[in-house]
């Protein structure tokens, strides 16, 4: 592109810029390589690894999520240049820097707004919003709910670690009551949010939950969220081993995972603990029953229907329940027109009705007069 | 009866009544008729923040002032020649604006005990002699309206609400305005409701004929067409000119205009206007809040479009952090601020040049961005276009300042030649074979604009964000020297916009006693004042700034040719601080902070005070 050659490269300062800086900055960061050819086929995980060193704490749950997303990307068949990661502020929001795709690390809580503006004008892009519990449920709470009701076709990965990590350990809107943190030395008195119930209440069209310690499940959840036409919301239970270690171990670790979790799947009965237990409905309440005592069988258990808002609402409300297992999987899925589809349709229908307007038409619309 | 016909060079009319009396409508229709009569004109709609304040109270009064003439009209008028007052409260609120000897037309039926009490009047001004210095015409508007519509089948409430049409008809007659524009408007507006349509048409005509027949109107006025430059004209309201300027930017740049906004007075009208332009390819979005609006605009800018958001003062405060993001990511975003009285909620419906300092400095860190201001309703078109052009050509957020007075005000506008608009320089980056790695922060030598690599472009995958970035690579860098370099680069880029600023046009004397320096909506009042001061024999000139940042050093050169420097502003002194800081010259502030524009006479007073 000849007309682009005027751009300066090689670290030279443009003429007239005053600076104290003597040496030009390095033009090539360590490990940098040129961009790919953009062909979707033949890409591998490494094609989605950026040249930046990952700066999360060793042992952080974020690493597993990153690796999972990088493994999933080549399988989706989307050209790399069409993929955009947009984040807010917080540990997880550094995510875009580590993905070799387009990305923006924006400001606290606002990633959904930027992603909405981008998707509205560029429906061809595959957009992923990466956010945390503080980012999207506190400072960005307003945006996450409106993103859900608008049903913009993108994916939201909510890294829930029930703590503020980057600001070094204050309680978050998902922290449990009584939590002792730097800002709550006598225990938090704030009742926590239940993120899945929150977004269901905000008219989300796809709601899922997964955990950082189960990469296989995570990958399937991400894939399903991606394949969903609409906002695909996935809450990830993610361990912060520095400020809130083991917050989800009761669900994620071998010793208790089997008894304390249930993986819900559309069209399948709600059974868990190696099919020795199940969930049945007693009125509107879920009840855990033993399937190996002869009193109850799989046939008594609820067959999950992810298109039922009623079931999803009941399931989402199973939240740190002492007698019921914590649900993981797709709670709800509904095909509803997306925001950008409707925006485009409206424009097309007005053009169909009134014809494509030109600037001249607009300027001369209404009453005019001419002075010779 | 035969009327005396008197020729005038100009006149000022003010319609005033309850918020529900339809005064804005009467004023708008009078404006349209005046445009038809080919007079030059300027308007000042003035309404309360309350939608329907209790009827009859002074705080519910809505007004529409209009000045028109055969001469060059620059302001909506210092003194009112005809006040149309629909009730005692409207008279009380506006009496001080009426010229001694001016005409006051009132609805005589509205001056009962209860209405006088509501207006806080102890005696009836129609009878107590307080209006002796004016020409009072009391017309039984309510009774005449009811009689006219006795067979209309409309409810009493609807009949009474229509009396503005009778008043409009009388006013049109009094100033020899054509009746057709208002008749056409009513026919279109109420096409689907014949009963209402016919009632309004009848009342309008009746009012017009009442003027002709009643002995109360002894004189009828004529104002010949203004001498205007050859061209095709239309009457334009500032906010509509602004909306069209944005559409023009989209058409000329080939980029999609994406406008996101949260409702706020008086900026909402821009959202209303643009949301109707879907067939011009404009995308609009009403967001959940102010921050979401600028966030969406940034997203659109990232995607290769012109992202625009609009708001008013308190909303700009909410957008501050995101404006900083647009600045450091160097993306084109236009932020329109339709200013109103502040701070906080302030005076939502009243005009003020409230936010220049906020626009200049209201962000964290060293964060300069171009700031432009429109100076007349018609100028909103070109300034909006220019704001978009600079945002794109320099890859920067731009703040465009207009105010409530400009947004709501109207004037005859010569429709511009689209081909004469300056071109856009849209260059999306594409992967080059000789490029080892993509450098999103490498810059154009001339403008210092960074490369605009929109998602979807193969080979240019890159990450941007709010953290300080390393020069050229755009990678995160906390290194001190780099931060200093980047701060200088961002500042220098805004200074490069100076290349876009045409030489300043000095109005009036090119050297002399007083130079008046203004920005934004005060242009009309300043130039009218300079013309008046000159005709009184003073050597006075003025310059008006469209670009508040960067500031052209030409100001200092021109200032050097005058003995004194006056800076009138509708705030407590904002441009004056910037000028003093930049040029170290003795700029003298002259401020009005009353939610209303300057009268030319006020500025004349300030000029004369300096010379004496």
């Amino acid at each position: 592109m000849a007309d682009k050659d005027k751009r300066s490269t090689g670290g030279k300062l443009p003429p007239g810029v005053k600076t104290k800086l003597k040496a030009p900055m390095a033009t090539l960061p360590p490990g940098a390589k040129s961009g790919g050819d953009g062909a979707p086929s033949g890409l591998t995980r490494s094609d989605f690894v950026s040249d930046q060193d990952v700066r999360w704490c060793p042992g952080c749950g974020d690493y597993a999520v990153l690796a999972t997303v990088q493994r999933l990307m080549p399988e989706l068949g989307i050209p790399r240049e069409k993929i955009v990661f947009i984040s807010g502020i917080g540990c997880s929001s550094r995510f875009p820097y580590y993905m070799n795709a387009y990305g923006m690390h924006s400001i606290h809580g606002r990633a959904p707004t930027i992603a909405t503006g981008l998707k509205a004008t560029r429906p061809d892009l595959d957009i992923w919003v990466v956010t945390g519990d503080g980012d999207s449920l506190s400072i960005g709470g307003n945006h996450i709910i409106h993103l859900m009701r608008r049903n913009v076709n993108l994916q939201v990965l909510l890294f829930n670690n029930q703590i503020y990590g980057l600001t070094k350990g204050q309680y978050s809107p998902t922290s449990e009551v009584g939590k002792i943190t730097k800002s709550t030395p006598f225990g938090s008195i704030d009742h926590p949010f239940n993120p899945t119930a929150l977004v269901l209440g905000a008219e989300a069209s796809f709601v899922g939950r997964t955990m950082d310690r189960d990469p296989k499940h995570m990958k399937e959840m991400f894939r399903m969220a991606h394949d969903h036409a609409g906002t695909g919301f996935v809450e990830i239970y993610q361990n912060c081993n520095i400020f809130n270690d083991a917050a989800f171990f009761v669900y994620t670790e071998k010793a208790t995972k089997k008894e304390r979790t249930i993986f819900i799947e559309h069209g399948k009965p709600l059974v868990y603990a190696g099919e020795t237990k199940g969930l049945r409905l007693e009125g509107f309440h879920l009840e855990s029953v033993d399937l190996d005592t002869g009193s109850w069988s799989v046939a008594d258990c609820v067959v999950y229907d992810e298109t039922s808002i009623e079931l999803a609402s009941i399931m989402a409300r199973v939240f740190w329940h002492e007698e019921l297992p914590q649900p993981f999987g797709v709670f709800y899925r509904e095909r509803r027109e997306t925001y950008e589809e409707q925006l485009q349709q409206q424009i097309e229908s007005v053009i169909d009705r009134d014809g494509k307007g030109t600037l001249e038409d607009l300027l001369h619309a209404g009453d005019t007069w001419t002075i010779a | 009866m035969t009327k005396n016909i008197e020729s005038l060079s100009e006149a000022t009319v003010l319609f005033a009544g309850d918020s529900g009396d339809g005064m804005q409508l009467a004023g708008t229709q009078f404006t349209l008729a005046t445009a038809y009569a080919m007079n030059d004109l300027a308007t000042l709609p003035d309404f309360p923040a309350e939608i329907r304040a209790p009827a009859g109270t002074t705080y519910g009064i809505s007004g529409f002032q209009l000045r028109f003439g055969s001469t060059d009209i620059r302001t909506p008028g210092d003194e009112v020649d005809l006040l149309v007052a629909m009730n005692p409260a409207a008279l009380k609120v506006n009496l001080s604006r009426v010229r001694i000897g001016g005409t006051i037309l009132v609805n005589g039926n509205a001056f009962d005990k209860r209405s006088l009490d509501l207006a806080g009047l102890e005696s009836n001004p129609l009878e107590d002699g307080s209006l002796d210095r004016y020409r009072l015409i009391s017309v039984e508007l309510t009774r005449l309206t009811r009689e006219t519509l006795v067979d209309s089948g409309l409810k009493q409430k609807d009949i009474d609400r229509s009396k503005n049409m009778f008043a409009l008809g009388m006013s049109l007659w009094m100033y020899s305005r054509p009746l057709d524009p208002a008749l056409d408007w009513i026919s279109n507006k109420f096409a689907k409701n014949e009963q209402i349509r016919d009632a309004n048409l009848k009342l309008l005509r009746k009012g017009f004929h009442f003027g002709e027949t009643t002995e109360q109107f002894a004189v009828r006025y004529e104002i010949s067409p203004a001498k205007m430059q050859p061209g095709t004209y239309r009457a334009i309201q500032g906010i509509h000119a602004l909306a069209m300027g944005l559409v023009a930017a989209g058409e000329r740049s080939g980029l999609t205009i994406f406008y996101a906004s949260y409702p706020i007075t008086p900026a909402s009208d821009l959202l209303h206007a643009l949301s109707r332009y879907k067939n011009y390819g404009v995308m609009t979005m009403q967001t959940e809040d102010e921050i979401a609006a600028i966030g969406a605009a940034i997203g659109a800018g990232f995607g290769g479009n012109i992202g625009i958001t609009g708001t008013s003062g308190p909303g700009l405060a909410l957008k501050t952090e995101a404006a900083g993001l647009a600045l450091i990511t160097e993306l084109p975003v236009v932020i329109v601020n339709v200013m109103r009285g502040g701070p906080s909620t302030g005076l939502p419906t009243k005009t003020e040049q409230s936010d220049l300092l906020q626009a200049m400095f209201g962000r964290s860190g060293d964060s300069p961005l171009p700031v432009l201001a429109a100076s007349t309703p018609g100028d909103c078109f070109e300034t909006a276009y220019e704001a978009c052009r600079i945002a794109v050509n320099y890859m920067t957020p731009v703040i465009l300042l207009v105010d409530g007075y400009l947004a709501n005000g109207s004037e005859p506008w010569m429709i511009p030649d689209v081909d004469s608009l300056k071109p856009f320089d849209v260059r999306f980056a594409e992967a080059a074979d000789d490029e080892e790695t993509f450098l999103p922060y490498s810059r154009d030598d001339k403008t210092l604009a960074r490369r605009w690599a929109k998602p979807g472009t193969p080979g240019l995958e890159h990450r941007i964000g709010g953290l300080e970035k390393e020069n050229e690579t755009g990678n995160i860098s906390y290194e001190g020297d780099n931060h200093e370099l980047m701060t200088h680069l961002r500042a220098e880029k805004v200074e490069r916009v100076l290349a876009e600023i045409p030489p300043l046009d000095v109005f009036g004397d090119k050297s002399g006693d007083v130079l008046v320096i203004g920005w934004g909506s005060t242009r009309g009042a300043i130039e009218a004042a300079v013309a008046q001061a000159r005709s009184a024999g003073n050597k006075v000139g003025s310059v008006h700034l469209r670009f508040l940042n960067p500031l052209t050093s030409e100001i200092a050169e021109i200032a050097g040719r005058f003995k004194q420097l006056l800076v009138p502003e509708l705030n407590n002194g904002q441009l004056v601080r910037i000028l003093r800081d930049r040029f170290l010259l003795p700029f003298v502030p002259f401020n009005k902070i009353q939610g209303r524009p300057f009268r030319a006479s006020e500025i004349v007073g300030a000029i004369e005070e300096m010379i004496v």
Side-chain angles (χ1 to χ4, degrees):
Chain A
M1 300 293 293
D3 65 339
K4 294 181 182 68
D5 290 346
K6 287 181 210 153
R7 308 282 169 161
S8 67
T9 52
K12 279 197 294 287
L13 284 178
V17 176
K18 288 172 225 136
T19 175
K20 292 176 193 162
L21 194 68
K22 299 289 191 296
M25 303 306 300
T27 51
L28 268 176
K33 58 188 179 62
S34 57
D37 61 3
S41 56
L43 293 177
T44 64
R45 176 189 169 187
S46 65
D47 289 309
F48 288 93
V49 177
S50 82
D51 55 22
Q52 300 295 297
D53 294 329
V54 182
R55 300 192 199 180
W56 288 317
C57 309
C60 176
D62 290 357
Y63 283 96
V65 187
L66 177 64
T68 302
V69 171
Q70 287 170 337
R71 277 195 202 99
L72 173 67
M73 285 295 134
E75 297 173 18
L76 295 178
I78 308 284
R80 191 169 60 183
E81 68 272 13
K82 293 279 190 189
I83 299 169
V84 186
F85 281 81
I86 297 180
S87 64
I89 293 292
C91 293
S92 59
S93 284
R94 296 298 179 94
F95 198 97
Y97 290 117
Y98 309 139
M99 289 297 301
N100 190 8
Y102 282 93
M104 191 193 293
H105 173 223
S106 76
I107 47 176
H108 211 5
R110 317 306 173 196
T113 71
I114 292 162
T116 299
L118 182 59
K119 186 71 182 181
T121 51
R122 293 290 308 278
D124 59 310
L125 300 175
D126 186 28
I127 300 174
W128 299 72
V129 168
V130 177
T131 182
D133 40 320
D135 191 57
S136 68
L137 302 180
S138 263
I139 193 165
N142 197 24
H143 309 308
I144 204 83
I145 57 176
H146 288 273
L147 177 66
M148 296 302 149
R149 78 177 169 96
R150 288 195 183 104
N151 200 34
V152 183
N153 187 9
L154 47 77
Q155 295 70 249
V156 178
L157 307 184
L158 191 155
F159 291 51
N160 181 6
N161 57 15
Q162 300 189 347
I163 198 78
Y164 280 85
L166 200 63
T167 50
K168 301 190 178 173
Q170 300 82 11
Y171 75 108
S172 90
T174 53
S175 297
E176 66 276 17
V177 170
K179 188 167 200 69
I180 307 286
T181 71
K182 276 191 183 140
S183 57
T184 50
F186 306 107
S188 159
I189 57 172
D190 293 20
H191 188 79
F193 265 135
N194 171 348
T196 51
L198 176 79
V199 297
L200 266 184
E203 304 294 317
S205 67
F206 180 100
V207 181
R209 182 190 286 146
T210 186
M211 57 176 81
D212 58 359
R213 307 278 273 195
D214 192 339
K216 204 169 147 229
H217 186 259
M218 234 190 327
K219 194 164 150 194
E220 281 323 294
M221 286 297 104
F222 296 167
R223 189 199 309 278
M224 288 164 89
H226 175 269
D227 293 347
H228 173 68
T231 308
F233 173 89
V234 183
E235 179 191 17
I236 307 156
Y237 281 177
Q238 172 250 321
N239 191 41
C240 171
N241 57 325
I242 305 296
F243 295 109
N244 200 20
D245 196 24
F248 304 105
F249 276 11
V250 63
Y251 304 135
T252 62
E253 302 313 291
K254 222 174 191 174
T256 46
K257 180 178 180 181
K258 216 169 125 185
E259 293 283 323
R260 297 294 295 124
T261 61
I262 182 165
F263 285 81
I264 52 180
E265 277 184 71
H266 182 63
K268 296 201 174 158
L270 293 177
V271 294
Y272 67 106
E275 300 194 13
T276 65
K277 291 182 179 180
L279 297 179
R280 64 177 287 273
L281 270 175
E282 179 69 45
F284 294 118
H285 298 282
L286 282 170
E287 185 183 71
S288 173
V289 291
D290 285 327
L291 301 179
D292 49 7
T293 59
S295 309
W296 304 98
S297 74
V298 173
D300 295 307
C301 298
V302 177
V303 174
Y304 200 74
D305 177 0
E306 66 188 15
T307 66
S308 161
I309 188 67
E310 292 80 13
L311 263 183
S313 303
I314 291 170
M315 218 57 196
R317 285 289 173 182
V318 179
F319 187 61
W320 295 91
H321 200 291
E322 285 178 9
E323 282 148 24
L324 295 176
Q326 187 85 342
F328 292 83
V330 178
F331 288 69
Y332 186 60
R333 176 152 49 173
E334 174 199 359
R335 176 65 176 110
R336 195 170 83 219
E337 270 196 303
T338 67
Y339 184 80
E340 68 279 6
E341 282 168 349
Q342 296 178 76
L343 187 65
Q344 203 54 49
Q345 280 162 15
Q346 202 169 54
I347 289 171
E348 284 164 13
S349 72
V350 176
I351 291 175
D352 279 350
R353 195 193 65 185
D354 300 343
K356 180 103 178 76
T358 68
L359 185 55
E360 286 294 324
D361 295 343
L362 183 62
L363 292 175
H364 290 85
D367 301 305
T368 61
W369 68 95
T370 301
I371 292 176
Chain B
M1 65 176 277
T2 318
K3 308 276 182 178
N4 290 325
I5 294 194
E6 205 177 298
S7 277
L8 300 175
S9 63
E10 61 157 272
T12 300
V13 174
L14 168 57
F15 295 91
D18 270 327
S19 303
D21 273 343
M23 293 295 94
Q24 299 304 320
L25 176 60
T28 308
Q29 289 305 314
F30 195 96
T31 302
L32 197 59
T34 297
Y36 260 73
M38 292 196 202
N39 293 133
D40 198 4
L41 67 95
T43 69
L44 173 62
D46 185 18
F47 36 83
E50 293 75 18
I51 303 300
R52 292 275 189 279
T57 59
T58 53
Y59 47 87
I61 294 304
S62 169
F64 190 104
Q65 187 171 322
L66 162 84
R67 181 163 166 246
F68 52 100
S70 55
T71 55
D72 192 10
I73 299 293
R74 295 170 185 274
T75 74
D78 289 7
E79 291 186 313
V80 171
D81 299 304
L82 169 67
L83 168 65
V84 179
M86 302 297 277
N87 64 18
L91 175 65
K92 184 183 177 184
V93 168
N94 293 298
L95 183 59
S96 65
R97 296 192 186 140
V98 183
R99 164 174 69 79
I100 301 298
T103 303
I104 296 173
L105 174 60
V106 299
N107 175 11
N109 298 122
F111 285 68
D112 54 10
K113 174 82 172 68
R114 188 170 167 274
S115 300
L116 294 170
D117 286 348
L118 275 171
L121 290 166
E122 284 174 8
S123 64
N124 187 345
L126 306 188
E127 295 160 3
D128 64 9
S130 60
L131 302 179
D132 283 354
R133 293 184 299 170
Y134 307 94
R135 201 155 67 82
L136 176 67
I137 303 175
S138 176
V139 174
E140 291 185 275
L141 262 184
T142 309
R143 185 179 64 81
L144 288 166
T145 301
R146 286 179 187 173
E147 282 176 6
T148 306
L149 298 184
V150 69
D151 299 326
S152 67
L154 288 173
K155 289 187 208 127
Q156 181 87 343
K157 200 178 132 207
D158 291 329
I159 291 174
D160 285 349
R161 270 201 352 208
S162 314
K163 57 185 182 292
N164 60 332
M165 283 297 140
F166 198 99
L168 175 63
M170 281 192 292
S171 312
L172 291 173
W173 177 86
M174 190 186 281
Y175 286 98
S176 312
R177 313 280 89 185
L179 204 49
D180 287 347
L183 292 174
D184 289 349
W185 181 83
I186 290 168
S187 301
N188 282 326
K189 175 79 179 174
F190 302 112
K192 287 181 185 150
N193 189 337
E194 286 181 21
Q195 208 180 18
I196 299 269
R197 182 195 66 194
D198 294 345
N200 278 290
L201 290 173
K202 195 171 177 187
L203 273 179
L204 185 67
R205 290 198 181 100
K206 202 83 184 169
F208 197 85
H209 295 142
F210 183 80
E212 186 74 45
T213 50
T214 183
E215 293 180 7
Q216 284 174 287
F217 295 133
V219 189
R220 192 181 191 191
Y221 303 107
E222 274 183 356
I223 290 157
S224 51
K227 286 182 194 69
M228 292 163 111
Q229 278 187 306
T232 301
Y233 285 79
R234 62 182 284 182
I236 193 89
Q237 206 187 328
I239 206 77
H240 291 132
L242 206 169
M244 287 182 215
L246 300 178
V247 175
E251 179 145 321
R252 292 283 287 174
S253 64
L255 303 172
T256 297
I257 293 293
F258 176 84
Y259 183 76
S261 182
Y262 183 74
I264 185 169
T265 302
S268 302
D269 285 341
L270 184 54
L271 176 60
H272 304 162
L274 289 168
S275 63
R276 302 187 71 88
Y277 292 164
K278 295 232 156 34
N279 59 327
Y280 298 94
V282 175
M283 283 188 168
T284 60
M285 179 181 186
Q286 180 177 318
T287 52
E288 61 270 25
D289 61 24
E290 296 282 0
I291 299 170
I294 185 168
I298 291 170
F302 185 44
N305 311 282
I306 305 183
I308 304 168
T309 184
T311 188
S312 297
L316 183 63
L318 283 164
K319 295 182 195 296
T320 303
E321 186 196 12
L325 176 69
L327 195 148
I328 197 167
T329 52
E330 303 191 34
L331 288 171
V333 172
V334 174
I335 305 165
V336 181
N337 179 5
V338 187
M339 298 179 290
R340 64 191 216 187
S344 187
T345 310
L347 308 175
T349 60
K350 307 295 179 189
T351 199
E352 193 166 289
Q353 293 181 308
S354 44
D355 300 323
L356 176 57
L357 293 182
Q358 185 184 202
M360 290 287 293
F361 306 115
R363 287 165 298 283
S364 62
D366 289 300
S367 47
L369 47 72
V371 179
L372 281 74
S375 61
T376 67
D379 184 54
C380 289
F381 175 85
E382 202 180 304
T383 312
Y385 179 88
E386 196 67 354
C388 292
R389 206 177 64 84
I390 285 165
V392 168
N393 288 2
Y394 289 80
M395 293 291 283
T396 177
V398 172
I399 293 182
L400 168 58
L401 298 175
V402 293
D403 60 24
Y405 168 52
L406 277 189
N408 294 323
S410 303
E411 67 177 0
W413 179 54
M414 189 162 81
I415 298 171
D417 171 15
V418 175
D419 295 333
S420 70
L421 296 168
K422 289 187 195 170
F424 273 74
D425 180 21
V426 181
R427 285 183 289 171
F428 289 114
E430 279 180 36
D433 293 340
D434 57 350
E435 209 165 17
E436 280 280 310
T437 187
F438 176 58
L439 298 172
Y441 278 76
S442 61
R443 295 172 190 280
D444 180 87
D445 283 340
K446 188 166 143 260
T447 62
L448 296 192
R450 78 170 183 89
R451 301 176 69 177
W452 197 3
K454 60 179 177 181
T457 314
L460 301 188
E461 292 86 356
H462 68 284
R463 277 66 56 190
I464 56 177
L467 287 168
E468 182 62 281
K469 48 252 321 82
E470 188 181 60
N471 188 30
E472 304 204 326
T473 67
N475 293 329
I476 300 172
S477 168
Y478 304 137
E479 208 254 323
D481 285 347
N482 176 73
H483 176 52
E484 192 163 297
L485 168 69
M486 294 304 281
T487 301
H488 286 309
L489 279 171
R490 288 188 287 261
E492 174 63 18
K493 184 172 78 169
V494 176
E495 286 301 310
R496 296 284 172 101
V497 175
L498 281 170
E500 308 290 337
I501 306 180
L504 287 177
D505 193 17
V506 183
F507 178 84
D509 290 306
K510 311 299 172 212
S511 64
D513 295 324
V514 178
L515 176 70
V516 187
I517 302 165
W519 65 282
S521 69
T522 53
R523 179 173 207 141
I526 288 175
E527 294 186 354
V530 167
Q532 279 181 44
R534 291 182 72 218
S535 61
N538 299 303
K539 288 206 77 180
V540 182
S542 67
V543 289
H544 214 77
L545 306 177
R546 172 185 278 173
F547 285 83
L548 284 320
N549 199 34
L551 265 187
T552 167
S553 57
E554 205 192 345
I555 295 168
E557 290 163 35
I558 298 168
R561 307 201 294 263
F562 288 83
K563 288 181 194 149
Q564 300 200 73
L565 307 167
L566 181 68
V567 185
E569 289 179 88
L570 298 170
N571 57 39
N572 203 20
Q574 299 197 11
L575 176 64
V576 75
R577 291 166 204 268
I578 294 167
L579 291 173
R580 283 172 176 169
D581 170 59
R582 169 68 191 277
F583 299 114
L584 300 173
L585 292 169
F587 296 94
V588 177
F590 176 60
N591 306 103
K592 178 173 178 178
I593 321 158
Q594 300 169 11
R596 295 180 61 85
F598 278 118
R599 296 173 181 197
S601 58
E602 291 165 335
I603 298 174
V604 171
I607 292 169
E608 285 174 348
E609 206 166 295
M610 287 185 106
I611 294 174
V612 172

